[in-house]
Amino acid sequence: MTTLAFTKGHGTGNDFVLFTDPDGEVDLTPERVRFLCDRRFGIGADGVIRAVRSRSIPEGAAILETEPEAEWFMDYWNADGTVAEMCGNGVRVYTHYLISEGLVAPERSDTLPLGTRAGVRDVLIGAAGYTVDLGRWRLGKERLVQASGLEVARPGLGIEVGNPHVVTVLADESELEGLNLVAEPTLDPAPADGANAEFVVPAEPFLVNGVAHIRMRVFERGVGETLSCGTGAAASALAFRHWGGDQMPHSWSVAVPGGKLGVRMFATEEGEHVSLSGPAELVYSGTIDLP
Ligand SMILES: N[C@@H](CCC[C@H](N)C(=O)O)C(=O)O
């Protein structure tokens, strides 16, 4: 029997079970992840995050060859037992967890490089929360998106921010609220590895002091509807700006059912990056026997 010491945390209601396994000794299987995330028979969460040293997991060891400063790796799993490349809310909660467990000791305004399956992500530790540089983003394909509650399928834009998203702009708030995201939206053509599906509308007022405001709901790949998705918020702002054209700003506020996230696009030497800011909370800790 393996007994796991865990902490439950969330970022704008996107919730995770976190535990420390520095040497990668815990046999984390899809079945165990599904058990931990089960809201009736387990702890309940949208995903599991294992804090493992990069050197102790093959994906992390590969990263260390070029970026030796990324000591810790975010081993992120979706609630259905699949792994994902990246989690924008998760990486902030993970940073908060590493600090509160004393596993890293950065100063305020320090940047912490963390290994992920999407590569190294730098998290800036600020007085008001955490900001993660999600790196370069990529425009993907357009796909037809059908969701329960929509009369006809709509075009959705593919955006990659380490993990895949398809963003659909809806007509208004009542259309957004009328969506039934218990049922998984269909994407046509279907992406080979699946995608997270975001639905967005402009908020009212849209532009305040140079910041654009939108509202988003999401059906996450490997999870279902969640209260928030950080990479989804970044993808939504990028898609909205793509459609809106040159007059659109680079600073965005994305309202999700679980709170608000900030997104910013900025130029770097290697091309445009997108960053994500928001809260990270640790709620309680306990132990659980793994099946
Ligand atoms: N909730 C996350 C995204 C988690 C991974 C996603 N479900 C996927 O499979 O890509 C976020 O905050 O970004």
Side-chain angles (χ1 to χ4, degrees):
M1 172 97 56
T2 304
T3 302
L4 204 68
F6 71 89
T7 294
K8 178 79 191 286
H10 76 92
T12 52
N14 195 191
D15 60 347
F16 312 102
V17 170
L18 302 106
F19 70 95
T20 305
D21 180 21
D23 300 320
E25 289 167 339
V26 174
D27 182 20
L28 191 58
T29 60
E31 293 71 29
R32 285 178 159 179
V33 169
R34 286 195 286 272
F35 164 70
L36 290 171
C37 291
D38 192 303
R39 295 189 188 278
R40 293 185 180 80
F41 294 98
I43 301 164
D46 296 326
V48 169
I49 296 174
R50 168 178 29 188
V52 59
R53 284 192 204 278
S54 298
R55 64 161 189 253
S56 307
I57 184 168
E59 299 96 312
I63 280 176
L64 286 178
E65 284 173 21
T66 50
E67 310 204 47
E69 71 289 356
E71 181 189 355
W72 288 94
F73 187 87
M74 177 175 76
D75 182 20
Y76 174 85
W77 296 64
N78 283 319
D80 72 349
T82 55
V83 291
E85 303 88 336
M86 186 44 201
C87 178
N89 287 323
V91 79
R92 298 193 320 276
V93 177
Y94 181 47
T95 304
H96 196 41
Y97 174 77
L98 290 176
I99 295 170
S100 72
E101 291 291 299
L103 297 168
V104 295
E107 300 292 325
R108 284 229 184 285
S109 85
D110 255 14
T111 295
L112 183 67
L114 293 171
T116 76
R117 291 191 174 83
V120 172
R121 294 292 180 260
D122 289 327
V123 184
L124 181 71
I125 298 138
Y130 299 95
T131 299
V132 54
D133 181 350
L134 296 174
R136 291 193 69 181
W137 61 278
R138 237 169 18 88
L139 203 55
K141 272 192 184 167
E142 273 211 12
R143 298 176 195 273
L144 269 186
V145 180
Q146 181 56 282
S148 170
L150 293 182
E151 274 177 23
V152 287
R154 306 289 166 80
L157 186 64
I159 301 271
E160 301 268 340
V161 283
N163 58 348
H165 297 265
V166 175
V167 182
T168 306
V169 176
L170 299 182
D172 53 32
E173 302 244 341
S174 74
E175 203 168 45
L176 186 70
E177 274 151 26
L179 286 178
N180 167 18
L181 292 182
V182 173
E184 181 168 2
T186 58
L187 308 175
D188 182 20
D193 296 325
N196 303 284
E198 285 80 21
F199 299 89
V200 290
V201 292
E204 202 42 70
F206 175 61
L207 208 53
V208 182
N209 298 329
V211 180
H213 289 66
I214 54 177
R215 281 191 60 199
M216 176 194 103
R217 285 180 65 190
V218 58
F219 186 100
E220 276 194 43
R221 176 180 69 166
V223 189
E225 182 170 23
T226 58
L227 292 183
S228 176
C229 174
T231 48
S236 296
L238 287 162
F240 219 103
R241 189 189 61 166
H242 176 81
W243 280 309
D246 287 346
Q247 75 274 22
M248 289 281 142
H250 294 306
S251 292
W252 293 71
S253 168
V254 184
V256 292
K260 269 197 182 142
L261 293 164
V263 174
R264 201 168 63 82
M265 299 96 177
F266 58 99
T268 75
E269 275 172 12
E270 58 165 15
E272 192 181 63
H273 281 205
V274 60
S275 73
L276 170 75
S277 309
E281 311 280 343
L282 300 176
V283 186
Y284 65 89
S285 296
T287 58
I288 189 164
D289 291 335
L290 289 177

